[in-house]
Amino acid sequence: MPRLLVVEAGAQPPISNDPVEDWVRPPLSRDDLEARVTVLQNRFDSNRVPTVDSTGTLSFGHHSITVSSTQTELMRLLIDRFGDVVHRTEFVQCFALRALTLNRNSLDLHIMRLRRRLLPIELSIRTVWGRGYMLENAVPAEVVPVTNASSI
């Protein structure tokens, strides 16, 4: 969970190597607060990447599901480029290297089935029209605004 600590004047700031923790001293403008929170949230989001192991267990955050061997291969490509477009031709080439046939219709069918499987673990596959597919977080992470420094 991202954390923004408010350190009183004269107090020693904390030493942390946690990329999702930062500190500030009051007074803090609303713009500065929002900028710090955005940076922390971006760091947090960039550290959350799904994984798939050799047994077909797909994990993201605290959730995991099992997927078929074909879906595992598709997910490996999507995870390697998490948040970026994977072109249709890349899927076809990947399967051709394994002596498997994957055409447009079968790819669309596998993606449709994967989308259903991903719902419980907060991932989604978005179609990027004319290009391919993108794996992304289905639920944006929550940012809890700090409104009162004394409550920290």
Side-chain angles (χ1 to χ4, degrees), residues 5-6 20 23 28 30 33 35 38 53 69 77-78 81 90 96 106 108-110 113 125 142-143 145-147:
L5 309 172
V6 178
V20 293
W23 61 273
L28 185 66
R30 186 77 176 159
L33 174 66
T38 299
D53 66 18
S69 58
L77 278 173
L78 290 163
R81 305 267 292 285
E90 294 176 69
S106 62
D108 290 344
L109 181 63
H110 288 300
R113 289 178 178 158
I125 299 174
E142 288 184 36
V143 176
V146 178
T147 57

Side-chain angles (χ1 to χ4, degrees), residues 12-74:
Q12 192 68 17
I15 298 173
S16 174
N17 59 357
D18 187 345
V20 293
E21 182 176 284
D22 199 1
W23 61 273
V24 294
R25 292 194 192 271
L28 185 66
S29 73
R30 186 77 176 159
D31 290 340
D32 287 346
L33 174 66
E34 289 174 4
R36 292 283 182 121
V37 168
T38 299
V39 166
L40 286 173
Q41 192 63 56
N42 289 341
R43 284 186 201 154
F44 178 73
D45 290 341
S46 69
N47 289 334
R48 283 187 64 189
V49 177
T51 59
V52 65
D53 66 18
S54 60
T55 65
T57 301
L58 176 63
S59 302
F60 184 62
H62 300 294
H63 308 286
S64 63
I65 58 170
T66 56
V67 294
S68 71
S69 58
T70 301
Q71 291 171 341
T72 298
E73 295 303 318
L74 294 172

